[in-house]
Amino acid sequence: MTFAPHGKHLIAGAWIAGDETFTSEPAHGPSHDFAIGRIKDVDAAAQAAEEAFWSYGYCSRQKRADFLNSIADEIEARAEAITQIGSQESGLPEARLQGERGRTTGQLRLFADHILKGDYLDQRHDQAQPDRQPMPRPDLKMMQRPIGPVAVFGASNFPLAFSTAGGDTAAALAAGCPVVVKGHSAHPGTGEIIAEAVQAAIAKFDVHPGTFSLIQGGNRQVGAALVTHPLIKAVGFTGSLGGGRALFDLCAARPEPIPFFGELGSINPMFVFAGALANRGAEIAKGWAASLTMGAGQFCTNPGVAVVLSSELSERFAETTRAALSEVPPQTMLTDGIAVAYRDGQQRVAGTRGMQEILTSMCDQRNATPYLFQTTAQNWLANDTLGEEVFGPLGVIVTAESEAEMQQVALSLQGQLTCTLHMDAEDTDAAKTLMPVLERKAGRVLANGFPTGVEVSDTMVHGGPYPASTNFGATSVGTLSIRRFLRPVCYQNLPDALLPE
């Protein structure tokens, strides 16, 4: 099945052309022209979303669940075409796109099942106590209610699972909130075909067409207009720290500030304890190399740092990692801009005093090759910039002279999406000492694994203290993500006829 994009925005059920266009820059295959978003497109989409909220926000959970399942069905019906255009635009292998499509449809179906159970509403009831002294208590009921139209920004590194109908969109729609998506210019054709799937589901279940709109990228002013539009009540974002912080500040500066749920990246450090290093050092090193280079390192949970105790074993660990990384061929990065940023990050790390190059390579144009560096804990602690994310397959080994110094490294960390412990039974006491620090630093702490796999489930937390995310109490993955687009309402002495479902 061949898909030829028409390059228009989807606004309130209509495909709208623009005054100007931008041309896509695919990794391979033909390029296409797409309309550049305009301020008036943002206003039209937001107005339609507000109108849709009065029906969609108050429809039954069953209808919303059916709608979510239908979006998943329509995406699967376009599977071959989605893989084709997604692979061309992103350079990701077909198997990765197929897996990501499964994750996208899987989370839509999971959210559909979750809202039918009703637990997410957090319903509470304090019955009236008219005879209570010294004052009677009224009848009080509380439940979570949808907040209104939500803006979602497509991510560069996940053209399906974190973009047009990805986690933020699925969570907002599950909550009862219409969505306006600003598509990412790295994969506009993929965004368009997914929008067609959502549009088909809207028609099938007679959902208000303003419930979903897609405005293509190409203009930063559109993003600013979207987060400052007075009808938008929350924002979901996955992207860079600089871009996310700029949008966050705009949300906070509005006359009516709104929540900005930004996932901004992380270095995801691993702490390798002495017992694990002695017993499984080579295995951990090879696993780290595989995780570090998966998808050219373009995962927000890419484990970029390994902290180990300095010894002959740590030198073996470094050499095993180097050997494994040296066998990885060049990989295509998602965009030219990401490739440039990766090279800039590599040069920043290489230029840091006290940094030893263990594996250096040559990457050019849109290709990425691995790099591996090593430094001491004291040098790490003296250079704040080493804690900044390098988006790509670059690893840093930090050698500590003691467990106390390892803890100092942990204490120096900014907020993280993940922290990992590699430990055996004899490392339990050392790990216990580090745990209070790590759970304050990260949204997810894991043992004896690698963080690049993020399960979409009830228990997953994909977030963390700033700058990993802008809201430490939220997650952008899993059913708990729906709560971001709800707010509690208390109903006092209201008759049942006035209460929500």
Side-chain angles (χ1 to χ4, degrees):
M1 180 180 180
T2 301
F3 174 69
H6 50 65
K8 298 178 181 178
H9 312 295
L10 176 63
I11 300 176
W15 291 100
I16 307 296
D19 303 322
E20 298 180 275
T21 62
F22 70 95
T23 302
S24 63
E25 299 177 350
H28 59 85
S31 59
H32 302 279
D33 292 335
F34 294 87
I36 294 176
R38 302 163 296 189
I39 305 300
K40 67 178 183 180
D41 297 323
V42 171
D43 185 59
Q47 295 281 357
E50 174 67 13
E51 181 181 336
F53 181 64
W54 298 113
S55 58
Y56 185 72
Y58 296 86
C59 71
S60 70
R61 286 180 282 133
Q62 184 65 60
K63 181 170 182 175
R64 291 208 304 275
D66 290 343
F67 176 48
L68 292 173
N69 281 320
S70 182
I71 295 174
D73 292 341
E74 295 292 343
I75 289 173
E76 292 295 354
R78 295 160 173 77
E80 184 179 338
I82 290 170
T83 299
Q84 177 203 48
I85 188 69
S87 178
Q88 288 177 354
E89 290 185 326
S90 67
L92 295 172
E94 290 188 359
R96 157 70 191 275
L97 267 298
Q98 291 163 357
E100 192 180 328
R101 188 186 71 247
R103 172 176 168 168
T104 304
T105 57
Q107 64 192 2
L108 285 162
R109 299 189 195 283
L110 174 66
F111 289 1
D113 291 342
H114 185 73
I115 62 174
L116 287 177
K117 296 174 185 176
D119 295 344
Y120 77 106
L121 295 171
D122 192 20
Q123 298 176 79
R124 305 182 185 198
H125 184 194
D126 291 320
Q127 294 185 351
Q129 295 180 359
D131 299 327
R132 190 184 68 172
Q133 296 298 326
M135 295 181 62
R137 184 175 75 184
D139 183 83
L140 300 169
K141 296 184 177 73
M142 187 278 284
M143 68 184 297
Q144 302 285 341
R145 301 297 293 150
I147 59 174
V150 171
V152 171
F153 285 73
S156 63
N157 59 335
F158 280 88
L160 299 174
F162 276 93
S163 289
T164 308
D168 287 341
T169 297
L173 292 176
C177 298
V179 174
V180 179
V181 175
K182 181 185 180 292
H184 199 288
S185 56
H187 42 76
T190 309
E192 182 183 303
I193 193 171
I194 296 296
E196 288 185 354
V198 180
Q199 184 187 32
I202 284 175
K204 183 176 181 180
F205 283 93
D206 193 29
V207 172
H208 190 292
T211 300
F212 175 88
S213 292
L214 168 68
I215 301 172
Q216 292 288 9
N219 188 337
R220 290 189 176 184
Q221 291 180 337
V222 170
L226 189 55
V227 302
T228 57
H229 196 286
L231 295 177
I232 296 297
K233 300 303 179 184
V235 178
F237 174 90
T238 298
S240 69
L241 174 59
R245 183 56 198 247
L247 295 174
F248 173 81
D249 290 344
L250 286 174
C251 287
R254 288 173 33 141
E256 177 202 3
I258 59 173
F260 179 85
F261 298 104
E263 190 269 281
L264 308 180
S266 177
I267 62 170
N268 306 294
M270 307 188 311
F271 294 84
V272 186
F273 290 100
L277 188 62
N279 299 330
R280 301 181 287 112
E283 175 188 339
I284 296 169
K286 292 174 183 177
W288 182 36
S291 180
L292 193 65
T293 57
M294 182 186 300
Q298 298 169 115
F299 290 93
C300 44
T301 53
N302 189 35
V305 174
V307 185
V308 302
L309 290 174
S310 180
S311 67
E312 182 181 341
L313 292 175
S314 66
E315 295 305 313
R316 292 181 193 171
F317 176 83
E319 172 55 27
T320 305
T321 305
R322 186 206 64 77
L325 290 174
S326 66
E327 297 178 0
V328 178
Q331 296 174 279
T332 303
M333 301 203 86
L334 291 158
T335 69
D336 293 337
I338 289 174
V340 170
Y342 175 59
R343 290 193 289 271
D344 289 345
Q346 177 269 327
Q347 292 172 8
R348 169 175 57 80
V349 173
T352 302
R353 177 179 297 181
M355 188 63 66
Q356 175 189 357
E357 292 187 355
I358 297 178
L359 174 66
T360 186
S361 55
M362 182 64 67
C363 56
D364 60 352
Q365 298 180 337
R366 199 159 161 176
N367 291 324
T369 50
Y371 290 87
L372 183 64
F373 298 88
Q374 182 170 300
T375 193
T376 65
Q378 287 302 312
N379 191 55
W380 172 276
L381 294 168
N383 291 278
D384 292 341
T385 59
L386 292 178
E388 297 175 7
E389 179 186 31
V390 178
F391 196 62
L394 182 147
V396 176
I397 298 172
V398 179
T399 57
E401 295 299 326
S402 64
E403 290 176 357
E405 199 169 69
M406 185 178 280
Q407 187 168 37
Q408 287 182 331
V409 172
L411 286 166
S412 74
L413 295 170
Q414 295 182 305
Q416 304 292 325
L417 294 171
T418 73
C419 287
T420 301
L421 303 169
H422 285 284
M423 55 175 289
D424 284 356
E426 59 263 44
D427 300 316
T428 300
D429 288 342
K432 280 184 176 179
T433 301
L434 203 57
M435 272 300 296
V437 179
L438 299 188
E439 68 178 11
R440 289 189 68 186
K441 296 292 184 177
R444 176 164 56 114
V445 181
L446 58 152
N448 297 329
F450 299 95
T452 39
V454 181
E455 184 71 22
V456 182
S457 66
D458 291 331
T459 52
M460 178 53 62
V461 174
H462 189 64
Y466 185 85
S469 61
T470 56
N471 190 311
F472 61 78
T475 173
S476 61
V477 176
T479 55
L480 188 62
S481 66
I482 298 171
R483 295 285 185 96
R484 295 175 297 168
F485 307 118
L486 300 165
R487 66 178 182 87
V489 177
C490 178
Y491 302 95
Q492 181 171 327
N493 289 337
L494 261 66
D496 288 347
L498 297 183
L499 293 174
E501 178 193 12

